[in-house]
Amino acid sequence: STLLLLAGTIPLGAALEDTGLAKTLADWLVNTVDVSNPHIFLAAFFLMAWWLTELLSNNAVAVLLTPIALNLSQTTGINPTALLMVVVFGASCGFVMPQGYQTHAIVMGPGGYRFIDYFKFGLPLSLLCWLVATIFIPIFWPL
């Protein structure tokens, strides 16, 4: 069942791209978040990458958001490397739901974990990652 779950996430990411939903999400982000403050935009883009990772998988989100991050860097004038680092870290913070990362899904059954276990421990960890990434990405890759 884990293999089927993971096998279905990459085509789901491709479907988001093919239907234009991924571009619509990026356009919504640009129109909703103040792009004149790149730190706030970076934090919002991280949240989008993180929540997409929770719904799809880390690999699917990385494949999906990489070209969008490069396009957003041209639109907003933000350093493309910083936005790519947001994709890298945001796609790696899928701790809230088991389908976000393959190992979480694999150990769920044998480990006796429940969905709520991932939520209780994953949400604070993911929020901490969001905070740390929002602070340190602009330091290492200036906007």
Side-chain angles (χ1 to χ4, degrees):
S1 63
T2 301
L3 290 176
L4 291 175
L5 170 72
L6 298 175
T9 58
I10 298 289
L12 186 58
L16 285 174
E17 182 70 32
D18 292 343
T19 61
L21 183 59
K23 173 126 176 56
T24 302
L25 283 172
D27 291 342
W28 173 82
L29 189 66
V30 169
N31 294 328
T32 305
V33 178
D34 182 18
V35 295
S36 65
N37 188 338
H39 292 90
I40 292 174
F41 187 81
L42 186 101
F45 189 53
F46 186 97
L47 287 174
M48 186 173 95
W50 167 36
W51 279 108
L52 283 174
T53 297
E54 296 298 348
L55 300 174
L56 301 173
S57 75
N58 61 333
N59 297 327
V61 171
V63 167
L64 177 69
L65 289 185
T66 296
I68 291 174
L70 294 173
N71 190 0
L72 284 173
S73 73
Q74 293 174 350
T75 304
T76 62
I78 297 174
N79 181 357
T81 307
L83 288 178
L84 289 174
M85 290 299 108
V86 168
V87 171
V88 168
F89 290 111
S92 299
C93 288
F95 304 123
V96 178
M97 291 187 248
Q99 68 266 25
Y101 190 68
Q102 301 88 326
T103 308
H104 300 162
I106 290 171
V107 301
M108 186 174 180
Y113 297 116
R114 297 169 300 157
F115 187 86
I116 193 71
D117 296 330
Y118 289 93
F119 186 81
K120 285 192 305 190
F121 296 103
L123 185 61
L125 182 59
S126 294
L127 290 172
L128 179 65
C129 290
W130 171 63
L131 180 66
V132 168
T134 302
I135 292 169
F136 285 103
I137 287 175
I139 292 172
F140 289 104
W141 298 279
L143 304 177

